Amino acid sequence: MKILITSGGTTEKIDDVRGITNHSTGYLGKEIAELFLAKGHQVTLVTVKTAVKPEPKENLKITEITNVDSLLKSMEPLVKEHDVLIHSMAISDYTPIYMTDFTELEDTENPSQLLHKSNTESKISSASDYQVLFLKKTPKIISLVKQWNPNIQLVGFKLLANVSKEDLFKAARASLKRNQANIIVANDLGEITPNQHIAYLVDEKGEEMVTTKSAIAQALYERICYD
Amino acid sequence: MKILITSGGTTEKIDDVRGITNHSTGYLGKEIAELFLAKGHQVTLVTVKTAVKPEPKENLKITEITNVDSLLKSMEPLVKEHDVLIHSMAISDYTPIYMTDFTELEDTENPSQLLHKSNTESKISSASDYQVLFLKKTPKIISLVKQWNPNIQLVGFKLLANVSKEDLFKAARASLKRNQANIIVANDLGEITPNQHIAYLVDEKGEEMVTTKSAIAQALYERICYD
C-alpha cells in the first residue's frame, strides 16, 4: 500500500526572523514510517526541516514543508495518490496577520481595522514595551482530505492538555465524524513523557489504549492492514 | 582563555504546544566555537536543543536553555567566570502575556486591562476566527553583561533586514556604546544566504567586512587574541 504520513510541527512567520511554531519532534511519525517501511509498504513522509526523520530508504520519499500554506499545496496531490493518510503533524491553527505597538491599538477607535493591515518591514521594530499580534485561523487540512480522495483511509490526531478521558474521547469522536476519519488517535499532553506516550485509538466502536510511540505505530499498522 | 559563546534562537511559550521562535540554525556559533577549541581555548557554548553543535570535546561545555528567562539565569554566573563573551544567539525580544479571542478585545473598553490577564489553560482554545496575542518586551541580556563582569571582552551582534550600510553601522555603533561592547558584528538578513554571510566587525575605529561564517570566526579570533 501507499502510505502518506505527516510529522513535525509547522511554523507561521511573523517576520523574517520570528515565527509561531507548533512543537513536535517528529519521533512518532518516524516510528510509524519505519514500521510500514519494514513491512514492505511505500511511504511518503511530509515533514519539516527540524523534525527527526527515518534513514533514507528506497521505498521512502520525504517532502519538506514549512507553514500551513505550503502544507496545503503539497498535500492535495499526495492525498489523491495514496491509500492511507496518517496525519500526525502538529499544525498551526492560527497565522499572523499584523504585529504592531500596543499604542497603535490604543489609538484605534475600531480594533477590527487592524485585521486588515499587514507589516511591510522584514524585521518588525522592537522599540515599544508592549506589542500586539493579530492572528487568523488557518484552513483545517484534515477536513479537506476526504473531498480530495473519498477512498483514502484517514487517521487523524487529537491532542488536548489535562482534560478528562470523557472530554478527550468526545473531542476525538467529534473530529472522527466532522472529518470522516477512520481512526482518531487521541492523546493528552499531560500523559506524554520521554518514556511514555499514552494514546487512544478512537473509532465508532470504542477506544484502544496504548502506552508508547512504538505501540501506537504497531496498533495503527494492525488496524490499517488487517481490519 | 575562557570563551563563552551563545548560539541558536530562543523560544517563548504561548502555551504548552505553541511558541514564538527566533530562527537561528546555530552554524555561526558552532564555527566560532570550533575555531577557539582548535586553538586550545576553553569554550562554554550556551545554546538551544534544535541548534547545530560541535562534536563533544574535552575543552567544550554545552549548556542548553529554552527561553529568555532561562538564558538570563544561566548567563549571570557564566559571564562572571569567562574572559570573553561572543553573543551570537537570536534572542526573543518579546514574550507572550495573554492570548484571547478577538471578540474579547472588541468587548473591552480599555485594552490595557488585557495586559494584566494571563492564560490558565495548557492549550489555548482555537474556536474563533481571529485571535489576538499581547506581548511584552524581554530584558536585554547584552546590557547586563558589563555590570556582571566589567572585565569581560564583549562581542555583540546586530541583525537588521534590508537597510542601508549607513543605518546598519549606526545601529551597530549605538549598540556598541549602549552595551559597552568591544565589537558589534553587524549583518543584514538580505546578505545572508546558504553560501555567503556578509558581516561587518564594527568598533570605535571602523568596520571590517568579511563574507563567510568561517571568515567571521577567523576575524573574531584575531581581534580577541591579538588586538
Side-chain angles (χ1 to χ4, degrees):
Chain A
M1 279 197 294
K2 293 182 75 179
I3 316 288
L4 179 60
I5 299 169
T6 64
S7 74
T10 57
T11 295
E12 299 297 315
K13 273 188 173 193
I14 296 172
D15 60 20
D16 284 350
V17 295
R18 288 174 282 199
I20 296 189
T21 296
N22 272 47
H23 302 297
S24 180
T25 56
Y27 278 109
L28 179 60
K30 176 176 181 276
E31 191 110 22
I32 298 169
E34 284 169 344
L35 180 60
F36 278 93
L37 287 166
K39 301 288 187 179
H41 296 280
Q42 214 179 301
V43 172
T44 303
L45 182 63
V46 176
T47 187
V48 297
K49 203 174 170 181
T50 53
V52 294
K53 298 170 189 77
E55 292 298 303
K57 278 207 178 60
E58 215 194 302
N59 283 346
L60 172 66
K61 274 187 222 158
I62 295 183
T63 298
E64 279 187 15
I65 60 90
T66 55
N67 61 2
V68 175
D69 196 46
S70 67
L71 177 64
L72 190 62
K73 288 194 176 77
S74 293
M75 288 296 279
E76 182 168 359
L78 289 172
V79 164
K80 289 179 177 166
E81 61 182 38
H82 283 78
D83 305 305
V84 178
L85 167 60
I86 301 172
H87 194 32
S88 73
M89 185 176 258
I91 300 173
S92 311
D93 34 22
Y94 288 89
T95 188
I97 306 172
Y98 182 55
M99 186 160 175
T100 187
D101 286 1
F102 186 73
T103 49
E104 184 177 355
L105 172 63
E106 283 184 307
D107 295 344
T108 302
E109 202 134 321
N110 177 2
S112 67
Q113 288 170 347
L114 301 176
L115 299 178
H116 302 286
K117 295 191 85 166
S118 61
N119 300 98
T120 51
E121 58 275 44
S122 316
K123 187 180 176 184
I124 298 164
S125 156
S126 54
S128 64
D129 284 344
Y130 295 95
Q131 286 208 332
V132 54
L133 175 63
F134 298 95
L135 305 111
K136 67 173 178 209
K137 223 178 161 78
T138 56
K140 287 269 180 212
I141 290 172
I142 191 173
S143 72
L144 302 168
V145 169
K146 290 272 169 148
Q147 294 176 33
W148 291 334
N149 180 354
N151 299 318
I152 201 166
Q153 277 199 62
L154 173 59
V155 178
F157 283 72
K158 176 57 85 179
L159 176 67
L160 294 177
N162 306 312
V163 297
S164 68
K165 289 289 148 300
E166 199 189 339
D167 286 349
L168 182 62
F169 296 159
K170 205 172 140 186
R173 289 228 157 70
S175 172
L176 196 73
K177 201 173 166 186
R178 189 172 57 240
N179 303 307
Q180 299 168 261
N182 301 79
I183 303 167
I184 296 291
V185 180
N187 43 184
D188 189 308
L189 265 181
E191 296 187 329
I192 304 174
T193 63
N195 304 313
Q196 166 189 288
H197 189 144
I198 293 180
Y200 305 85
L201 277 67
V202 178
D203 64 12
E204 284 171 1
K205 288 176 249 160
E207 308 94 22
E208 176 187 356
M209 177 175 162
V210 287
T211 59
T212 62
K213 292 193 202 307
S214 73
I216 297 172
Q218 188 63 41
L220 285 176
Y221 173 73
E222 281 163 20
R223 296 278 191 112
I224 288 163
C225 296
Y226 299 106
D227 263 16
Chain B
M1 280 197 293
K2 293 182 74 179
I3 316 287
L4 179 59
I5 300 170
T6 64
S7 75
T10 56
T11 296
E12 299 295 315
K13 273 188 176 194
I14 297 173
D15 60 20
D16 284 349
V17 294
R18 287 173 283 198
I20 295 188
T21 296
N22 272 47
H23 303 296
S24 180
T25 57
Y27 279 108
L28 179 60
K30 174 177 184 274
E31 192 110 21
I32 298 169
E34 284 170 343
L35 181 60
F36 279 93
L37 287 165
K39 301 289 187 179
H41 296 280
Q42 214 178 302
V43 172
T44 304
L45 181 63
V46 175
T47 189
V48 297
K49 202 174 173 181
T50 53
V52 295
K53 299 171 187 76
E55 293 296 302
K57 278 207 179 58
E58 214 194 303
N59 283 347
L60 172 66
K61 275 186 222 158
I62 294 183
T63 297
E64 279 188 14
I65 59 92
T66 54
N67 61 4
V68 175
D69 196 49
S70 67
L71 177 64
L72 189 63
K73 289 195 175 78
S74 293
M75 288 296 279
E76 182 168 358
L78 289 172
V79 164
K80 288 178 177 167
E81 61 183 37
H82 283 78
D83 305 305
V84 177
L85 167 59
I86 301 173
H87 193 33
S88 72
M89 185 177 258
I91 300 174
S92 311
D93 34 21
Y94 289 90
T95 188
I97 307 172
Y98 181 55
M99 187 160 176
T100 187
D101 285 1
F102 186 73
T103 49
E104 184 177 355
L105 172 62
E106 282 185 306
D107 295 345
T108 302
E109 201 133 322
N110 177 2
S112 68
Q113 288 170 347
L114 300 177
L115 299 178
H116 302 287
K117 295 191 87 167
S118 61
N119 301 98
T120 50
E121 58 276 45
S122 316
K123 186 180 178 185
I124 299 164
S125 155
S126 54
S128 64
D129 284 344
Y130 294 95
Q131 285 210 334
V132 53
L133 175 63
F134 298 95
L135 305 111
K136 68 173 178 209
K137 224 178 159 77
T138 55
K140 287 268 178 213
I141 289 171
I142 190 173
S143 72
L144 302 168
V145 169
K146 289 272 169 147
Q147 294 176 33
W148 291 334
N149 180 355
N151 299 319
I152 202 165
Q153 278 198 62
L154 173 60
V155 178
F157 284 71
K158 176 58 83 180
L159 177 67
L160 294 177
N162 306 311
V163 297
S164 68
K165 289 287 149 300
E166 200 188 339
D167 286 349
L168 182 63
F169 296 158
K170 206 172 140 187
R173 289 228 158 70
S175 172
L176 197 72
K177 201 173 165 186
R178 191 172 55 242
N179 303 306
Q180 299 169 259
N182 301 80
I183 303 167
I184 296 290
V185 180
N187 45 182
D188 188 309
L189 265 182
E191 296 187 329
I192 303 174
T193 62
N195 303 312
Q196 164 190 286
H197 188 145
I198 293 180
Y200 305 85
L201 277 68
V202 178
D203 65 12
E204 284 171 0
K205 287 175 251 162
E207 308 94 21
E208 176 188 355
M209 177 175 161
V210 287
T211 59
T212 63
K213 291 192 202 306
S214 74
I216 298 172
Q218 188 63 40
L220 285 176
Y221 173 73
E222 282 163 20
R223 297 277 191 113
I224 287 162
C225 295
Y226 299 105
D227 263 13

